[in-house]
Amino acid sequence: MLRALARFFGPRRDGGEGPVKVIVGLGNPGKEYERTRHNVGWWVLDHLADVWHLDAWRRDGDARVANGRVGEVNIRLVKPQTYMNLSGSVLRPYLRRAGWSPQHDLLVVVDEAALPLGFFRFRASGSSAGHNGLKSIEGALGHQDYARLRIGIAPPPGRNRGDLADYVLSEFGKSDMKVVKELMPTFVEGIEAWLKEGIEPVMSRFNRKVRSEESP
């Protein structure tokens, strides 16, 4: 009881209206989408919430959020609940926040069908490359200058993915899921480096090169 009261009346762990780093994972709500390739951004956020021992997920407007701190940095993890093509609406409250900068305080975690499974890219800016979630983010911000972690979901060479929409909304097989889960510690390390140093050093240290024969 005392712990509950202290939690209620004590300072908010997300820092209230102070500086906050926002990490948005793109995905679709609903149990039918939980294991799909399009929801890999949510998998990363769930892992971060566990590793960083953040507050429980709760509803906040068009999103589910988890708050806390990593070192001295206030953190908010955000899962849009609007479906992929309206994901950008969750950023409206932060854009009204004094001193909050998408270029420095926002990281979007997203699946990338143009990268092979097992590869990833931290990027400081760039186009949506046809991804509806990133199109919505870009529309909300009015520019492309925000950090993102693109996680490869493309099948290996020689394996047909079929229609792209059907492919990204299909479930990972066990072996493919294992590949993604084995990258989670690297994602945590890279994101923690982004919190401390910004996106440019992270790109230099963590991006893996895709061999030419694997490039889309």
Side-chain angles (χ1 to χ4, degrees):
M1 175 65 75
L2 290 176
R3 290 179 65 186
L5 288 172
R7 190 184 187 89
F8 183 81
F9 289 107
R12 289 180 53 177
R13 293 186 66 200
D14 68 346
E17 291 301 314
V20 61
K21 297 287 189 180
V22 176
I23 303 172
V24 177
L26 298 188
N28 288 309
K31 286 192 174 297
E32 67 269 34
Y33 297 111
E34 283 180 356
R35 294 166 59 89
T36 64
R37 293 173 172 86
H38 226 19
N39 272 43
V40 71
W42 284 19
W43 297 9
V44 174
L45 263 62
D46 285 335
H47 187 76
L48 293 174
D50 288 342
V51 169
W52 292 342
H53 306 292
L54 302 188
D55 291 342
W57 291 97
R58 63 177 177 81
R59 188 78 188 215
D60 183 34
D62 290 335
R64 291 184 62 80
V65 303
N67 299 316
R69 291 173 70 85
V70 176
E72 298 300 313
V73 182
N74 291 316
I75 301 296
R76 176 167 286 187
L77 306 184
V78 179
K79 293 180 183 178
Q81 300 294 299
T82 54
Y83 292 95
M84 191 66 77
N85 62 352
L86 297 175
S87 300
S89 66
V90 301
L91 295 176
R92 291 174 189 151
Y94 308 101
L95 293 171
R96 296 192 295 265
R97 197 167 182 151
W100 190 82
S101 164
Q103 289 89 344
H104 300 101
D105 300 323
L106 174 65
L107 176 71
V108 177
V109 186
V110 61
D111 60 289
E112 178 52 79
L115 275 178
L117 183 72
F119 289 83
F120 61 89
R121 287 283 186 277
F122 284 95
R123 294 287 303 276
S125 62
S127 74
S128 66
H131 193 289
N132 287 333
L134 293 184
K135 285 181 184 178
S136 182
I137 297 288
E138 181 181 325
L141 297 178
H143 58 76
Q144 301 175 345
D145 298 327
Y146 62 92
R148 75 284 309 264
L149 166 57
R150 301 164 56 218
I151 300 172
I153 61 168
R159 198 167 93 190
N160 183 23
R161 73 183 183 190
D163 179 75
L164 179 59
D166 290 339
Y167 178 76
V168 299
L169 292 176
S170 63
E171 294 189 358
F172 277 104
K174 287 185 178 179
S175 60
D176 288 355
M177 187 179 294
K178 182 181 179 184
V179 172
V180 176
K181 289 185 175 179
E182 287 177 347
L183 289 172
M184 290 295 180
T186 304
F187 295 155
V188 173
E189 185 181 356
I191 293 170
E192 288 181 350
W194 169 73
L195 294 174
K196 297 175 184 176
E197 305 170 41
I199 192 64
E200 297 292 342
V202 172
M203 291 167 57
S204 299
R205 290 214 313 267
F206 289 90
N207 285 350
R208 296 178 59 184
K209 291 185 178 179
V210 182
R211 297 193 302 271
S212 59
E213 66 269 22
E214 293 176 322
S215 300

